Amino acid sequence: MATRVRSGRFSPARSRGTEALATGGAASSKGPGRPGPLQDETLGVVSVPSQWRSIQGIRGETKSCQTASIATAEAAAQAREHADAEVQTEPPMPLSMPTASQQDSPRLAAFLRRVEGMVIRELNKNRQSHAFDGFEVNWTEQHQTVSCLHTLGYPPAQGQGLHVTSVSWNTTGSVVACAYGRLDDGDWSTLKSFVCTWNLDRRGLNPRQPAAVVEVPSAVMCLAFHPSQPAHIAGGLYSGEVLVWDMSRPEDSLLWRTGLTDDTHTDPVYQVVWLPVSGHSHRFQLLSVATDGRVLLWQGVGTGLLQLTEGFALVAQQLPRNTKLKKPTRGETEVGVTAVAFNSFDPSLFVLGTEGGFPLKCSLAAEEAALTRVPSSVPLRAPTQFTFSPHGGPIYSVSCSPFHRNLFLSAGTDGHVHLYSMLQAQPLTSLQLSHKYLFAVRWSPVRPLVFAAASGEGDVQLFDLQKSSQKPTVSIKQTQDESPVYCLEFNSQQTQLLAAGDAKGVVKIWQLSTEFTEQRPRETEDLDHLAVEVAT
């Protein structure tokens, strides 16, 4: 920034004039001693350079960047050459129809009149015949009647040598559960066992990794899914306890337990069954049976405990007189219970399998007091109404027919399956299926004449009594080394599925063909006819 200043010589006269102006004197006054008027002078130029721009100046930098080089390629495609060709067939030759003169109409008419009566009689006879009743034409070729759909297992349980002791399907039919324990040399050890579930409808199913796993401090002997709650499952332990889990809560799955009280079983629990509460279709109670001879009914309460509501006890002295059991001279003898099945037509009627090999017909409505001194918070009653002829060893499984009110099956250590009627002591028929034990037998939920059995030789055998009453229709090899198959269950929702568990800790899901899942004509009538014929 430059400032111009006028310069000139300094004189006293000018100084005085200036002073006069400062004191108010007139600049134009003349007289002796007064200075003359002010005059302009031109002085030199003074320049003051500015430092602001150098301080505030913006420093600028130049930068550049380079993107990665883009690769390019060229490609070409050559279309193929096509050629068209045509084929011309020869023109069809017209069929020569016989003329009216070539047909012997009078002779043909005479023949038809001659045989008409005989043909009509034979047609009427065939119409009244039942020779082809039940015959069903099947134009589709059956390639394979049974195939293995899944092979499930839990490696930590298998590593401990645990067996699959029980399997159960949930109410939707999509989830299968298995219990791990031991049936050959169970003990009171603290070796933990497991309850595992797999959802077969879930994408990405891992057969070696269950969807849910529950650790249990004692061997689990049996399982049963709740009839309406798809995630609730009950189990019976070797220690005598009964527990209920909610498999949808993996962190805290235990809902109820019986605890170790005087009401708890003192022997291993071999089966648990959910039963509807009378008058409340949406409420259920739990029934358990054990080799201590007691049949107990439990109800879950809000405190996390299963409370005993009713109880039954089996002692040899109170069994019906047609039994061949040796009666003790004094004291009481408990009858160990190993299996239970409820009648499909009478909810109060059930069948028990016993260690002595006797099937027993029992009733929940029994009122006779049991002759036992076992401590209990509720009075124990004697449920047995009738005793059937025994197997040659303990019974491991019983199953009531879903299609007939009087028929049930039993299987035991003698390797036989007995078909009984509720109306007589002797079995209607007896089938030897194995030279070793039979551990399970189940009626089909959709075919009245079909049932399955699990053997100690590693087989799952499917019977169709409409085809043969003496040998299985299909025998499936579950284990290659003939390890026992301990349990099996049909799927009542997805009826083509059958689950079976074995001593190798494996659950196999077998897919059945329509041969075992589609009911045939007159099959229910044939079941009734079989029961009546054999019974007489």
Side-chain angles (χ1 to χ4, degrees):
M1 175 178 179
T3 306
R4 293 182 177 272
V5 181
R6 299 179 186 271
S7 63
R9 294 182 180 271
F10 178 80
S11 64
R14 289 182 183 270
S15 177
R16 287 191 298 267
T18 304
E19 183 181 357
L21 288 175
T23 56
S28 61
S29 298
K30 292 182 178 182
R34 294 182 181 273
L38 295 175
Q39 295 180 356
D40 293 336
E41 290 188 17
T42 301
L43 302 178
V45 178
V46 177
S47 298
V48 179
S50 173
Q51 300 297 319
W52 183 86
R53 290 187 182 275
S54 61
I55 294 173
Q56 301 295 330
I58 300 175
R59 296 180 180 180
E61 296 182 3
T62 302
K63 293 185 178 181
S64 62
C65 63
Q66 177 64 43
T67 60
S69 58
I70 300 174
T72 60
E74 295 182 359
Q78 179 65 40
R80 295 183 178 181
E81 295 183 358
H82 295 272
D84 296 332
E86 296 181 356
V87 177
Q88 178 65 46
T89 60
E90 296 181 358
M93 297 296 295
L95 297 176
S96 58
M97 298 296 295
T99 61
S101 60
Q102 295 177 314
Q103 299 179 6
D104 192 354
S105 298
R107 293 179 58 187
L108 177 61
F111 168 76
L112 294 177
R113 284 193 298 269
R114 191 166 60 251
V115 301
E116 179 182 5
M118 181 174 60
V119 172
I120 294 299
R121 285 194 302 272
E122 293 300 323
L123 290 175
N124 289 333
K125 189 185 299 183
N126 291 339
R127 183 173 59 86
Q128 298 172 1
S129 172
H130 297 285
F132 295 97
D133 286 355
F135 178 76
E136 185 178 1
V137 179
N138 186 3
W139 299 106
T140 61
E141 191 174 339
Q142 297 278 347
H143 294 287
Q144 194 172 11
T145 55
V146 180
S147 59
C148 185
L149 193 62
H150 300 290
T151 300
L152 312 174
Y154 186 48
Q158 294 171 283
Q160 296 180 16
L162 297 179
H163 307 157
V164 176
T165 56
S166 181
V167 290
S168 180
W169 295 96
N170 77 338
T171 184
T172 66
S174 59
V175 176
V176 63
C178 79
Y180 280 101
R182 291 194 72 88
L183 290 181
D184 54 354
D185 56 355
D187 55 28
W188 293 92
S189 68
T190 58
L191 182 67
K192 64 182 179 181
S193 60
F194 306 91
V195 173
C196 303
T197 63
W198 287 267
N199 189 334
L200 303 187
D201 291 343
R202 182 172 296 174
R203 291 184 178 180
L205 171 68
N206 186 349
R208 309 295 290 172
Q209 181 56 55
V213 178
V214 175
E215 291 189 5
V216 188
S218 178
V220 185
M221 308 300 290
C222 54
L223 287 179
F225 263 112
H226 194 280
S228 60
Q229 297 292 333
H232 291 184
I233 187 168
L237 306 188
Y238 185 86
S239 63
E241 275 197 278
V242 177
L243 296 86
V244 179
W245 299 279
D246 183 353
M247 303 303 287
S248 65
R249 306 187 312 183
E251 296 82 9
D252 183 19
S253 58
L254 185 61
L255 283 180
W256 299 299
R257 67 187 308 170
T258 57
L260 297 177
T261 66
D262 288 341
D263 289 334
T264 309
H265 290 287
T266 56
D267 279 2
V269 179
Y270 273 87
Q271 197 164 348
V272 289
V273 180
W274 292 96
L275 298 177
V277 177
S278 179
H280 300 82
S281 59
H282 63 285
R283 293 180 57 193
F284 291 86
Q285 54 188 346
L286 192 60
L287 179 139
S288 61
V289 299
T291 50
D292 61 0
R294 290 193 290 172
V295 179
L296 305 178
L297 281 163
W298 307 91
Q299 183 70 52
V301 294
T303 58
L305 293 177
L306 287 172
Q307 182 178 358
L308 184 64
T309 59
E310 293 182 74
F312 304 88
L314 278 71
V315 292
Q317 292 85 346
Q318 290 182 289
L319 295 183
R321 293 182 179 276
N322 65 322
T323 178
K324 297 179 181 179
L325 282 175
K326 294 180 180 180
K327 299 299 181 69
T329 57
R330 58 182 179 178
E332 61 186 37
T333 301
E334 297 172 349
V335 178
V337 182
T338 53
V340 61
F342 274 79
N343 190 280
S344 303
F345 298 84
D346 184 351
S348 66
L349 187 64
F350 61 99
V351 176
L352 295 178
T354 64
E355 286 184 312
F358 290 87
L360 305 176
K361 181 170 74 172
C362 303
S363 174
L364 293 176
E367 297 181 356
E368 182 182 1
L371 301 177
T372 179
R373 291 189 296 270
V374 176
S376 175
S377 62
V378 299
L380 300 180
R381 307 195 301 272
T384 309
Q385 296 180 335
F386 190 77
T387 304
F388 301 91
S389 296
H391 281 259
I395 294 175
Y396 275 139
S397 181
V398 289
S399 178
C400 291
S401 170
F403 298 94
H404 199 288
R405 67 182 305 112
N406 291 328
L407 296 181
F408 71 93
L409 295 166
S410 62
T413 58
D414 58 358
H416 285 75
V417 166
H418 288 182
L419 173 62
Y420 289 97
S421 169
M422 296 282 189
L423 305 179
Q424 69 179 51
Q426 296 296 325
L428 305 180
T429 186
S430 178
L431 306 173
Q432 183 174 3
L433 306 187
S434 173
H435 296 291
K436 296 184 179 180
Y437 295 176
L438 289 180
F439 290 99
V441 63
R442 291 290 184 271
W443 283 103
S444 166
V446 290
R447 285 284 313 277
L449 291 170
V450 168
F451 67 89
S455 81
E457 297 174 318
D459 297 326
V460 175
Q461 300 186 16
L462 288 166
F463 268 81
D464 186 348
L465 296 178
Q466 199 171 44
K467 291 186 175 181
S468 174
S469 59
Q470 296 300 321
K471 61 181 181 179
T473 305
V474 174
S475 183
I476 311 166
K477 201 67 179 174
Q478 167 113 354
T479 60
Q480 299 303 318
D481 61 352
E482 297 188 354
S483 298
V485 180
Y486 286 132
C487 52
L488 56 82
E489 287 291 345
F490 285 97
N491 190 326
S492 59
Q493 300 299 318
Q494 302 184 44
T495 56
Q496 76 280 9
L497 300 183
L498 171 68
D502 57 48
K504 293 294 185 181
V506 171
V507 177
K508 288 193 175 182
I509 308 299
W510 299 100
Q511 184 169 12
L512 310 179
S513 68
T514 55
E515 181 181 357
F516 294 104
T517 59
E518 292 184 359
Q519 190 173 147
R520 298 181 180 181
R522 297 178 56 86
E523 190 168 351
T524 304
E525 291 84 349
D526 288 346
L527 182 66
D528 295 335
H529 186 64
L530 173 67
V532 173
E533 266 194 350
V534 180
T536 56

